[in-house]
Every structure is written in C-alpha cells, then in structure tokens.
Amino acid sequence: SQTIHQWPATLVQPVGSPLSLECTVEGTSNPNLYWYRQAAGRGLQLLFYSVGIGQISSEVPQNLSASRPQDRQFILSSKKLLLSDSGFYLCAWSTGSGANVLTFGAGSRLTVL
Amino acid sequence: DAKTTQPPSMDCAEGRAANLPCNHSTISGNEYVYWYRQIHSQGPQYIIHGLKNNETNEMASLIITEDRKSSTLILPHATLRDTAVYYCIVPSGYSTLTFGKGTMLLVSP
C-alpha cells in the first residue's frame, strides 16, 4: 500500500533562517506531488505541484521554492523565512490518472518568530 | 474551478444522518464533484467523487441532482469523529484542486 511521510512534524524558526521540509511517498511510482499551506484560520493554498522529477509548477509568488530530486521525494525550501511563512504545510500525492484524488501527509507546523 | 457554495456550519446529533449540501450551478458537463474533509490539525482526507450518478462508498453517499447544479454528501450515521470541515470541490479540466472555506460540521452527543 502507498504511504506518505512528511517531516519534521513541528518546528520553530527565527525570522531570516532557512527552511527545509521533506516529503516522501512509498508504494507508488511517478506520483503527482503537491505542497499546500494553511495559515491560521485560513483555507488551504496550493504552493507547488510536480508531475515528474525536476518539473515544478509554482502557483503563487513567494520566498519559497520546491524541488523534486527523486521520483518520490518533494522538498520545500526557503533561504530566509518571513513571519508570514508561519502555517501548516501539507504534502500530498496523487496518481496521474486520478489526479484529483489526493492523499495528504500529516503536515508540518511551522512557527516563525 | 467551478464555483461552489456551502453553508459555513452545520450541526448534527450523533447517530443521525448528516446531509451536507453544495451548490455548483456553473458546473460543466464533464466536471466531477469531489468531497474532502479536514479534521482539526490534520491533512484533508478524500471522501468521494461523482459525475452524474449517485455514488456510495464505506465513508459516505453522494447524491447529485439531475441537472447537476447541486449535490449532497450524506454521512448516514454521524459519529463524534466526523466533526470536521467538509469541502465540496469542482475542479476544471486539468487544474489542481482549490479548497474553499467548506462547511464546519459539528457532531454532538
């Protein structure tokens, strides 16, 4: 069966520090991968999605970036965090044929101080 | 994505059926209706989707009107663990899913 792992689960970072969140999927190949963010009291915002290695689509301009170095690995990064980057970050995957049936990870809660 | 309209909140007694409505009057003929839910502090969970026929799985039933302009998600016997925000989504073509504000369902004892 397929599983999705996301880490770290929680982190507290100072403004201006770098960020790296990692997501891996097991039990499937060539998944579509997604990063969403949910700010406190807000809805889910799609940040990035990827349909293959090295292929990244950005939905909103920000100081975040994403990379997909391997087929089942998706990384969210920032060189310098802002206060507004605080939120609940969710990784998700889907198959190419079932692109709208997403399976989400447990999330990473980021607090920028 | 086609616009969807959901009530901001609903209440349901434990053991009763929860009927969550969604309006999607601008839906196109080949667009599916998807339902997800998000329990507090967790990632969203896929529930069910459909095109025109009613659908049922182990989690819920989806009733789509004949004109496809609205749908209802039915949880036949709601439990306290069904308390969550429920999202009705109609993605357009090859677009990615856009989550709106959804309906906050509170199941009470």
Side-chain angles (χ1 to χ4, degrees):
Chain A
S1 62
Q2 301 90 357
T3 55
I4 179 168
H5 302 280
Q6 199 180 328
W7 69 94
T10 60
L11 65 165
V12 179
Q13 296 284 101
V15 170
S17 65
L19 171 74
S20 181
L21 301 178
E22 191 161 342
C23 172
T24 59
V25 180
E26 296 178 359
T28 189
S29 58
N30 197 30
N32 295 337
L33 296 171
Y34 309 81
W35 278 112
Y36 282 84
R37 176 173 65 195
Q38 189 169 36
R42 306 281 296 275
L44 283 99
Q45 179 186 36
L46 178 64
L47 301 176
F48 301 96
Y49 70 94
S50 170
V51 298
I53 296 174
Q55 301 177 59
I56 310 293
S57 295
S58 174
E59 290 292 300
V60 291
Q62 64 236 319
N63 67 322
L64 300 172
S65 62
S67 62
R68 184 170 178 173
Q70 300 181 46
D71 181 44
R72 290 168 291 176
Q73 184 185 28
F74 206 23
I75 298 171
L76 183 70
S77 304
S78 174
K79 292 182 179 178
K80 289 186 177 182
L81 284 169
L82 307 173
L83 287 174
S84 58
D85 291 324
S86 293
F88 190 42
Y89 288 81
L90 291 152
C91 180
W93 75 273
S94 69
T95 63
S97 58
N100 290 318
V101 178
L102 271 61
T103 300
F104 284 81
S108 298
R109 190 165 300 280
L110 169 66
T111 302
V112 182
L113 300 176
Chain B
D1 293 359
K3 179 176 172 59
T4 61
T5 305
Q6 298 178 255
S9 63
M10 293 184 66
D11 294 326
C12 180
E14 188 178 20
R16 298 292 186 123
N19 297 289
L20 296 123
C22 179
N23 287 322
H24 31 78
S25 58
T26 61
I27 193 170
S28 298
N30 60 350
E31 291 176 337
Y32 283 74
V33 181
Y34 288 78
W35 283 83
Y36 281 75
R37 73 179 182 184
Q38 186 176 19
I39 296 170
H40 184 61
S41 295
Q42 296 183 22
Q45 178 189 25
Y46 164 80
I47 301 173
I48 199 168
H49 72 282
L51 181 63
K52 56 178 71 174
N53 298 321
N54 298 337
E55 302 288 345
T56 295
N57 63 20
E58 65 278 5
M59 290 183 68
S61 294
L62 175 61
I63 308 298
I64 302 174
T65 58
E66 193 166 341
D67 63 8
R68 303 211 325 119
K69 292 185 177 182
S70 66
S71 59
T72 301
L73 180 75
I74 301 172
L75 308 179
H77 305 286
T79 70
L80 299 179
R81 287 176 292 182
D82 291 321
T83 292
V85 177
Y86 287 77
Y87 300 97
C88 169
I89 307 170
V90 180
S92 299
Y94 293 103
S95 69
T96 52
L97 289 180
T98 300
F99 290 79
K101 296 185 177 180
T103 296
M104 175 65 216
L105 175 69
L106 177 62
V107 181
S108 303

